[in-house]
Amino acid sequence: MLWGILLMDNFGARLKLTGKVTALPGALTALFCLTVVAVSQFVAHARIDEYDAWLFAYYGRELLDGAKLYADVWDNKPPGIFWLNALGLSISGGELWGVWILCATAAVTSVLAVFAIAWIAYGKSAAMITAALAAVYLNMPQFHVGCNRPATFFVPTELGCIGLYLIAITGKQRCRTMLLLSGCCAGLGVCLKQSALAATAAIGLHILWRLLKHTDKRRQTVLHACLLVLGGTLTVGTAVLGLAFTSDPTWAWDAVVGFNRAYFKPDVGSSFVPTFVWADDYMRAMGLPVVLALATLVHGLRHRLIGNGDCPTTISSQSGQPSGWLFLLWSWMLAAIYLAALGPHGRAPYLAVALPPLVILSGHAVHLLLLSQTTSPSQRRPAFHVVVAVIWLGYMLYWPLQMQLDMAGRQYAHRFLIPPTEYRLSLEQGIDRHSAAGDRMFKFGYSPDLYWSTNLRPACRFIGTEKAGQLLHYGQPVIDEITRKLRLVRPRIIVLNPEAETRAAKAKGLDVAEAVSWVELNYYQPDPDVPTLWVVKDESPSDARP
């Protein structure tokens, strides 16, 4: 496909082909992108290891039932993902397909945003190829983009922030409106994930660069910065007002800011001077965009050191790269890598924030490749280095596409061919037999999918003990609060393996002995085949919210 786009666009105008033929590269690109996004969406929603998706869906359902975010149901993420799940579930009458529609819409929007940015900066041909790269690399399964996770939704907000800023400073549309909307996108990203600040940081650095370089009038540049800040403030302020009317801002601040600060305590897993070695294993499948991005850096340094010569900067009259464009892109990339490295425990999904700048930088390399072709001495055929590059691009694309198809096949087998484990079926059946609608449940550990499938209400604002374990011994207050709430509420069902939970907690410096002893004293095991199922000895189910 890349070969066809490159050759047909290069020779189409020269041969004066008909409109239908010249539209073929665009149609092929759109078909390719939609196919890749469709396969990645199937993988995203069929995969069996996507536990967080159940958490967000379950909390969304609880919000629709009147629960207060952070007070009745708790997590350490901003409210955006929970509100989106509530919206999706309300659209579909409580079914998950409403959330899936929102995820698919976000995935398609991300590709379209990449295409729009590349079209403005590089022209039509580079935009089509960059969109194809975006469809593949924004949806790599190890980063969980496309799943029901915050990354799926903050990727388009990051792209929107940069894209609207680009439109504004190149004068393509009404400047002030675009800057205000760019700031709104930045604010939306923060409402979805604390690390969605890479585009904002890059734009801030670019504005500072413009002031130091005097590329624009100082007053105009300051106005641009004020509009961006105003847009972000309006969005975040609206979210704060929403929490004030539907929840408790104090609880929200404690969850979104206070709890996450604890990750930076000694030995917990985060540091403001992070290491980046852990990211290497996750980036090997990203070889093509990484090499393309680094090529832009080497190319820029080369021309900085030996001069630009007579190399033009655009390949189309429709292209428009603002002053310091490459500085903006690399600021975005480096800020994203730093923010990803701040995440605790070195997990692959944290790298999602770095995917948008990586893809756009890949597009810059494609632009330079096409640019070299248009200035080639030979106008009859592509230069040899272009032929080599296109074949190499196609070869490198094979592996991530093969990974997607292989992942789709395995998830299909797990979802539709391999039955659930006997233990899981027995557990769900046991819970169904010994509970009724409106009863409460608590599961030690982390199994939000069990809460969703049993449709029981949470016993306390924590869905399990997993978050306490992330903070090691600093998480003991969470365990203590869970113990107090269990004593107060006496949920109908508790799922607990006393020995395993005690052993896991001890390994992380936590003490769950009091909670385990209380469960063993006040609950009984109705089914010897399901030793983790405990039912309260008092037969009257609890139904009051904590």
Side-chain angles (χ1 to χ4, degrees):
M1 191 197 72
L2 293 172
W3 176 259
I5 291 173
L6 181 64
L7 294 187
M8 292 189 70
D9 192 76
N10 187 42
F11 297 115
R14 199 173 299 133
L15 296 176
K16 297 182 179 180
L17 298 176
T18 65
K20 290 184 179 179
V21 177
T22 55
L24 183 59
L28 290 175
T29 303
L31 179 62
F32 174 82
C33 291
L34 288 174
T35 301
V36 173
V37 170
V39 172
S40 67
Q41 279 295 290
F42 171 79
V43 172
H45 304 304
R47 60 191 304 170
I48 59 174
D49 62 337
E50 192 51 56
Y51 296 110
D52 282 358
W54 297 108
L55 169 72
F56 304 134
Y58 178 68
Y59 279 11
R61 188 167 66 187
E62 285 294 302
L63 294 183
L64 291 177
D65 289 339
K68 291 183 177 181
L69 187 59
Y70 305 117
D72 297 328
V73 288
W74 184 95
D75 194 75
N76 62 329
K77 295 177 181 62
I81 185 63
F82 307 107
W83 289 344
L84 283 170
N85 272 262
L87 173 62
L89 293 172
S90 67
I91 292 172
S92 57
E95 299 295 329
L96 283 174
W97 61 261
V99 177
W100 296 345
I101 287 176
L102 295 182
C103 293
T105 301
V108 173
T109 301
S110 297
V111 177
L112 291 175
V114 169
F115 177 78
I117 293 172
W119 181 291
I120 296 170
Y122 310 125
K124 179 179 63 176
S125 299
M128 288 189 291
I129 297 175
T130 308
L133 294 174
V136 175
Y137 290 104
L138 289 182
N139 294 283
M140 292 296 288
Q142 61 262 51
F143 304 113
H144 296 260
V145 180
C147 302
N148 180 20
R149 286 199 180 205
T152 300
F153 300 99
F154 75 63
V155 164
T157 66
E158 289 279 280
L159 289 165
C161 184
I162 291 291
L164 292 166
Y165 177 72
L166 172 63
I167 292 172
I169 62 178
T170 52
K172 297 293 184 181
Q173 295 290 339
R174 291 186 293 273
C175 174
R176 295 183 180 182
T177 302
M178 295 299 106
L179 288 168
L180 189 65
L181 292 175
S182 177
C184 289
C185 284
L188 284 174
V190 175
C191 292
L192 289 161
K193 184 79 170 178
Q194 294 92 333
S195 60
L197 288 168
T200 305
I203 290 174
L205 290 173
H206 188 254
I207 289 175
L208 181 61
W209 182 88
R210 288 164 58 191
L211 286 171
L212 295 176
K213 286 285 186 178
H214 303 291
T215 56
D216 298 310
K217 294 181 179 178
R218 186 180 300 272
R219 182 178 179 182
Q220 181 186 33
T221 304
V222 172
L223 176 61
H224 288 179
C226 291
L227 287 169
L228 288 162
V229 172
L230 176 61
T233 302
L234 287 173
T235 307
V236 175
T238 301
V240 171
L241 285 176
L243 286 172
F245 283 106
T246 62
S247 182
D248 186 330
T250 302
W251 282 113
W253 177 266
D254 179 67
V256 177
V257 179
F259 185 88
N260 289 285
R261 274 201 307 246
Y263 284 127
F264 293 91
K265 292 183 177 181
D267 303 322
V268 174
S270 291
S271 170
F272 288 109
V273 186
T275 60
F276 302 93
V277 177
W278 61 271
D280 178 63
D281 292 337
Y282 301 124
M283 296 303 294
R284 291 182 181 178
M286 307 292 289
L288 175 57
V290 169
V291 169
L292 290 175
L294 290 174
T296 67
L297 180 62
V298 174
H299 180 269
L301 291 175
R302 172 180 174 271
H303 281 283
R304 176 68 64 180
L305 294 175
I306 66 175
N308 293 326
D310 58 354
C311 183
T313 58
T314 62
I315 62 175
S316 166
S317 60
Q318 296 177 333
S319 301
Q321 300 173 35
S323 178
W325 172 241
L326 200 57
F327 173 81
L328 173 65
L329 293 185
W330 271 104
S331 297
W332 188 14
M333 184 78 245
L334 295 175
I337 293 174
Y338 177 75
L339 289 168
L342 287 180
H345 317 304
R347 295 177 178 176
Y350 299 146
L351 289 167
V353 71
L355 298 181
L358 183 62
V359 168
I360 300 297
L361 280 167
S362 300
H364 191 86
V366 170
H367 159 68
L368 294 175
L369 180 63
L370 294 174
L371 187 64
S372 67
Q373 173 59 21
T374 60
T375 57
S376 172
S378 173
Q379 296 298 318
R380 296 181 177 273
R381 60 184 181 276
F384 180 71
H385 70 274
V386 175
V387 176
V388 172
V390 170
I391 294 174
W392 177 73
L393 261 67
Y395 173 75
M396 292 294 287
L397 270 174
Y398 169 79
W399 298 109
L401 291 173
Q402 174 65 26
M403 182 185 298
Q404 283 277 26
L405 291 174
D406 180 64
M407 188 77 167
R410 285 188 282 120
Q411 299 308 320
Y412 177 84
H414 281 293
R415 281 287 181 183
F416 302 108
L417 302 180
I418 302 175
T421 63
E422 184 176 348
Y423 163 75
R424 179 56 182 259
L425 285 174
S426 300
L427 178 60
E428 290 187 2
Q429 292 170 358
I431 293 174
D432 184 63
R433 284 195 305 269
H434 296 281
S435 64
D439 281 348
R440 294 185 177 276
M441 180 180 78
F442 184 78
K443 166 73 169 65
F444 282 77
Y446 185 63
S447 296
D449 54 322
L450 184 63
Y451 284 85
W452 174 269
S453 61
T454 57
N455 200 22
L456 297 183
R457 296 164 63 188
C460 66
R461 63 190 184 118
F462 297 103
I463 201 170
T465 56
E466 180 251 358
K467 287 297 180 183
Q470 289 183 2
L471 298 184
L472 303 180
H473 63 279
Y474 298 106
Q476 188 61 43
V478 175
I479 298 296
D480 295 340
E481 181 180 340
I482 290 173
T483 304
R484 290 194 302 270
K485 289 294 184 180
L486 292 181
R487 288 177 176 273
L488 175 65
V489 176
R490 292 177 63 88
R492 176 72 174 168
I493 301 292
I494 288 181
V495 180
L496 167 68
N497 183 330
E499 293 182 2
E501 186 65 27
T502 301
R503 185 168 56 251
K506 186 177 181 180
K508 295 180 178 181
L510 299 172
D511 183 9
V512 296
E514 182 182 353
V516 170
S517 299
W518 180 83
V519 171
E520 292 176 332
L521 181 63
N522 293 276
Y523 287 72
Y524 70 99
Q525 298 170 293
D527 191 342
D529 294 331
V530 191
T532 58
L533 175 61
W534 298 78
V535 179
V536 68
K537 292 179 180 179
D538 180 7
E539 293 299 327
S540 59
S542 60
D543 57 4
R545 264 191 198 283

